[in-house]
DNA sequence: CACCTAATAT
DNA sequence: TATATTAGGT
């Protein structure tokens, strides 16, 4: 038994940027309607689809924006939706159009963002790792269920592929381990450590070799303050920022902010402070003028 | 309705 | 290319 191999979650991003770090975001590039339009996502009313399994309490994500991390008298300005002026406006139109049918920019899955994704899936377990739950656990502002679903689909294919050539069977084998390379997917997915349980394959026939038990199996309910501040409901705001050109120097997070408080409730005795990520909007990418949405993590790993 | 897989569109 | 979107089934 090696206790060293299961430290894939050695430590989550644990860098609580002090309130001072929160920069006054300025969505000067984002029009008010646009910003509001982006917020259309299902507010997690702290309810989890526990299907029919009484498995304690699933990862409830108590939308508790009023984190104690934000002292009231602090100069911290929680990304308030402040609109400067709408210099830019939507497609053709006329100004304040119900941003209902507006399309969001493509989401860019950065390694960090993907890591969060993997961590969420790992901690949820394969069973509960469904788009909605993953999305809620990730607590990434701006992430939609479809974003996760789409990515999850690819990720599953990637896992399947890995198992395909990893599980050799016995004896001998060996051989080719550079066959399935989809440079496209590999590059991203390989950047993140894949939890061991993901690469397990069920062997109905012989082989009663019990794999490792996922740590996510143990869960004890730890309800956070449910009756906190009723006034604070969902997290209806997206922090968007725009940074010009990340020259060849280094990436400096122009805007860092966090939203929901960390949700602890993992099976492991260790604390896994889930850190919410922030998103960043990048315009004018090196693409043909494509606008993409980039989610920035609150730390580096 | 949410999910999954495959195929397709951008 | 990497995501988004759609279709069709569970």
């Amino acid at each position: 038994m090696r206790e060293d191999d299961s430290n894939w979650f050695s430590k989550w991003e644990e860098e609580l940027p002090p309130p001072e770090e929160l920069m006054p975001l300025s969505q000067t590039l984002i029009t008010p309607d646009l910003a509001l339009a982006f917020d259309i996502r299902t507010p997690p009313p702290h309810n989890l689809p526990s299907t029919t399994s009484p498995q304690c309490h699933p990862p409830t994500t108590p939308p508790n924006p009023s984190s104690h991390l934000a002292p009231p008298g602090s100069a911290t300005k929680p990304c308030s939706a402040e609109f400067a002026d709408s210099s830019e406006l939507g497609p053709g139109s006329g100004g304040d159009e119900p941003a209902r049918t507006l399309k969001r920019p493509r989401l860019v899955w950065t390694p960090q963002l993907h890591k969060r994704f993997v961590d969420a899936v790992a901690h949820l377990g394969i069973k509960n790792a469904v788009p909605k739950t993953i999305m809620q656990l990730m607590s990434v502002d701006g992430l939609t269920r479809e974003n996760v679903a789409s990515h999850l689909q690819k990720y599953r294919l990637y896992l399947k592929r890995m198992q395909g050539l990893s599980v050799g069977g016995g004896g001998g084998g060996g051989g080719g381990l550079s066959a399935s390379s989809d440079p496209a997917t590999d590059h991203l997915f390989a950047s993140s450590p894949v939890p061991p349980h993901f690469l397990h394959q069920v062997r109905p026939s012989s082989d009663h070799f019990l794999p490792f038990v996922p740590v996510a199996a143990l869960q004890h309910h730890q309800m956070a303050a449910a009756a906190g501040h009723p006034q604070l409901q969902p997290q209806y705001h997206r922090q968007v920022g725009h940074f010009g050109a990340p020259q060849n120097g280094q990436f400096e997070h122009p805007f860092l902010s966090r939203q929901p408080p960390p949700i602890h409730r993992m099976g492991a005795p260790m604390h896994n402070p889930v850190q919410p990520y922030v998103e960043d909007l990048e315009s004018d990418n090196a693409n043909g003028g494509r606008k993409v949405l980039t989610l920035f993590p609150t730390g580096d790993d």
Side-chain angles (χ1 to χ4, degrees), chain A residues 146-226:
Chain A
E146 309 215 287
N147 282 137
V148 177
S150 183
H151 193 67
L152 180 61
Q153 189 173 17
K154 280 296 204 69
Y155 186 60
R156 280 174 170 157
L157 290 176
Y158 169 75
L159 292 181
K160 192 164 287 197
R161 195 163 278 204
M162 296 302 278
Q163 302 175 58
L165 35 107
S166 212
V167 83
L177 84 88
S178 43
S180 72
S181 18
D182 257 340
T185 49
D186 280 2
H187 182 29
L188 209 193
F189 295 144
S191 307
S192 171
V194 176
H197 342 70
F198 282 32
L199 298 169
H200 73 170
Q201 187 172 11
V202 287
R203 284 236 168 235
S205 45
S206 56
D207 198 275
H208 32 54
F209 185 75
L210 230 284
F212 321 100
V213 53
V215 289
L218 305 165
Q219 300 177 351
H220 50 148
H221 38 66
Q222 181 181 13
M223 259 318 199

Side-chain angles (χ1 to χ4, degrees), chain A residues 14-52:
Chain A
E14 49 167 351
E15 184 191 292
L16 269 280
E20 293 80 35
E21 283 290 313
L22 302 179
M23 300 195 68
L25 46 109
S26 47
Q27 48 260 77
T28 47
L29 288 206
I30 307 302
T31 66
D33 19 357
L34 206 60
L36 285 176
F38 283 7
D39 295 358
I40 47 171
R41 73 193 271 274
T42 56
H46 59 270
N47 68 350
L48 254 286
S50 37
T51 58
T52 53

Side-chain angles (χ1 to χ4, degrees), chain A residues 75-300:
Chain A
T76 305
K77 197 175 201 187
C79 37
S80 54
E82 196 157 325
F83 312 114
D85 72 323
S86 37
S87 331
E88 220 176 88
L89 35 89
S93 324
D96 42 275
E97 211 12 65
R100 282 189 183 179
T101 65
L102 290 182
K103 282 158 90 129
R104 309 151 87 49
R106 283 162 64 102
L107 177 70
V108 175
W109 284 90
T110 63
Q112 281 79 16
L113 185 60
H114 178 66
K115 172 148 194 254
R116 182 134 186 108
F117 168 84
V118 173
D119 276 339
V121 174
H123 284 106
L124 281 170
I126 309 294
K127 306 191 311 193
N128 297 327
V130 291
K132 194 187 282 182
T133 313
I134 296 171
M135 178 191 68
Q136 292 181 228
L137 221 182
M138 286 177 74
S139 296
V140 175
D141 186 14
L143 243 189
T144 66
R145 187 169 61 83
E146 309 215 287
N147 282 137
V148 177
S150 183
H151 193 67
L152 180 61
Q153 189 173 17
K154 280 296 204 69
Y155 186 60
R156 280 174 170 157
L157 290 176
Y158 169 75
L159 292 181
K160 192 164 287 197
R161 195 163 278 204
M162 296 302 278
Q163 302 175 58
L165 35 107
S166 212
V167 83
L177 84 88
S178 43
S180 72
S181 18
D182 257 340
T185 49
D186 280 2
H187 182 29
L188 209 193
F189 295 144
S191 307
S192 171
V194 176
H197 342 70
F198 282 32
L199 298 169
H200 73 170
Q201 187 172 11
V202 287
R203 284 236 168 235
S205 45
S206 56
D207 198 275
H208 32 54
F209 185 75
L210 230 284
F212 321 100
V213 53
V215 289
L218 305 165
Q219 300 177 351
H220 50 148
H221 38 66
Q222 181 181 13
M223 259 318 199
H229 297 237
Q231 46 176 331
L232 300 165
Q233 238 218 320
Q235 14 186 356
Y236 265 160
H237 60 267
R238 339 173 30 75
Q239 318 140 1
V240 288
H242 161 268
F243 59 74
Q247 294 296 0
N248 55 348
Q250 58 185 68
F251 272 77
E252 190 163 287
H253 19 250
F255 320 105
L256 277 189
S257 189
R258 20 163 61 286
Q259 267 256 308
I263 42 188
H264 333 80
R265 61 152 287 296
M266 291 327 186
M270 313 163 68
H271 304 97
N272 287 340
V274 175
Q275 240 190 195
Y277 274 34
V278 302
E279 64 153 320
D280 205 329
L281 184 71
E282 179 170 333
S283 316
D284 183 66
N285 197 358
N287 257 327
R290 251 184 199 154
K291 280 170 181 157
V292 292
L293 188 72
T294 309
L295 274 35
F296 263 71
T298 57
D300 187 55

